[in-house]
Amino acid sequence: MPSVKISASVLNSDLSALGNEVKRISDNGIEYVHFDVMDGEFVENITYGSAVQKSILPHTSAKIDTHLMVMHPGRQVKLFADAGSDIITFHIESECDADALIDEIHSYGVKAGVAVKPNTPAEAVFPYIEKADMVLVMTVEPGYGGQGFIHAMTDKIRKVREEADRLGKDIDIQVDGGINTETAKLVKDAGANVLVAGTFLFKSEDMKKSADSMR
Ligand code: DX5
Ligand code: ZN
């Protein structure tokens, strides 16, 4: 399994001071800023787009992990690649040709991730494990931060890790939603290694300590 990395979701941070919030992420030794993009169609909520992502780049040395929760990711990937994404993850349930989209993301020199919602089976991402750099197993229903971890998702993580091992691919498996010190242990045991956390990190007194407790 690849090394454990933390990706801090700014969704529930102080968005009126976003530059400062992303600076705290890298200052506390966290590897990624997790940037949740919602379009009001794939999910009901609307967040922020590529222009906002671009504006945070000078304020952080963390890598940018873009999570597209949009119905038409094909319209967004070039914009986000140009706005500094190190990895772009899109949902398999969106309207897209997943194979072609992975190729397009790679053509910009950006890593590609494929995400599944809680009700989508693990098998839906199996065809992309060899080609993608990361699989994101959602551990809450996408749309909002601060929700409770869905325990049944550990089985799905295990299935994806088993299939990756069978294929001999050392892929990153990311989890997103309701991750804290306790649930981090469960998902790591199941085979996840990239842990997204929003509420837990931003509500904690000591972000570095909290991140280290998840590792
Ligand atoms: C949910 C987002 C998550 C969310 C995680 O749709 O994709 O990234 O911000 O937040 P917490 O850690 O609060 O569950
Ligand atoms: Zn996310």
Side-chain angles (χ1 to χ4, degrees):
M1 193 167 104
S3 64
V4 173
K5 285 162 270 191
I6 309 291
S7 190
S9 166
V10 290
L11 189 58
N12 278 358
S13 72
D14 179 0
L15 293 173
S16 71
L18 192 52
N20 189 50
E21 295 292 57
V22 297
K23 181 175 185 301
R24 284 173 64 202
I25 291 172
S26 47
D27 284 354
N28 284 297
I30 293 171
E31 289 86 348
Y32 294 100
V33 170
H34 184 82
F35 197 78
D36 284 307
V37 182
M38 306 186 190
D39 66 348
E41 191 183 358
F42 185 77
V43 292
E44 70 181 0
N45 205 2
I46 296 178
T47 54
Y48 22 68
S50 58
V52 176
Q53 181 177 291
K54 197 168 182 185
S55 78
I56 65 175
L57 299 179
H59 300 279
T60 187
S61 58
K63 291 183 173 173
I64 309 294
D65 164 33
T66 307
H67 177 195
L68 297 178
M69 285 162 276
V70 303
M71 195 58 92
H72 300 284
R75 296 178 191 166
Q76 299 295 325
V77 291
K78 183 164 192 316
L79 290 168
F80 278 94
D82 289 345
S85 297
D86 293 280
I87 178 152
I88 298 176
T89 299
F90 62 91
H91 273 266
I92 207 72
E93 303 89 353
S94 68
E95 285 175 18
C96 69
D97 175 341
D99 251 308
L101 204 51
I102 293 170
D103 288 340
E104 186 186 341
I105 294 168
H106 283 161
S107 78
Y108 304 133
V110 175
K111 289 185 174 175
V114 176
V116 274
K117 298 204 283 184
N119 289 329
T120 305
E123 289 74 14
V125 293
F126 285 4
Y128 310 105
I129 287 177
E130 292 205 280
K131 201 166 169 176
D133 303 283
M134 188 169 83
V135 169
L136 164 54
V137 176
M138 289 302 299
T139 42
V140 297
E141 210 48 67
Y144 297 94
Q147 305 182 74
F149 176 79
I150 303 174
H151 280 80
M153 294 302 108
T154 52
D155 260 357
K156 194 192 287 187
I157 297 162
R158 212 165 263 121
K159 280 186 186 162
V160 175
R161 181 58 72 197
E162 274 169 16
E163 178 66 6
D165 286 349
R166 195 183 68 78
L167 296 167
K169 172 111 194 231
D170 205 16
I171 199 166
D172 281 327
I173 300 181
Q174 184 176 61
V175 285
D176 184 8
I179 304 299
N180 54 37
T181 311
E182 278 162 37
T183 54
K185 188 177 179 330
L186 303 175
V187 295
K188 285 187 295 176
D189 285 349
N193 70 299
V194 184
L195 314 180
V196 177
T199 312
F200 177 64
L201 289 174
F202 281 95
K203 298 271 180 278
S204 73
E205 307 244 303
D206 185 335
M207 189 182 269
K208 185 168 192 319
K209 228 176 171 178
S210 300
D212 289 343
S213 77
M214 288 194 289
R215 292 179 210 278

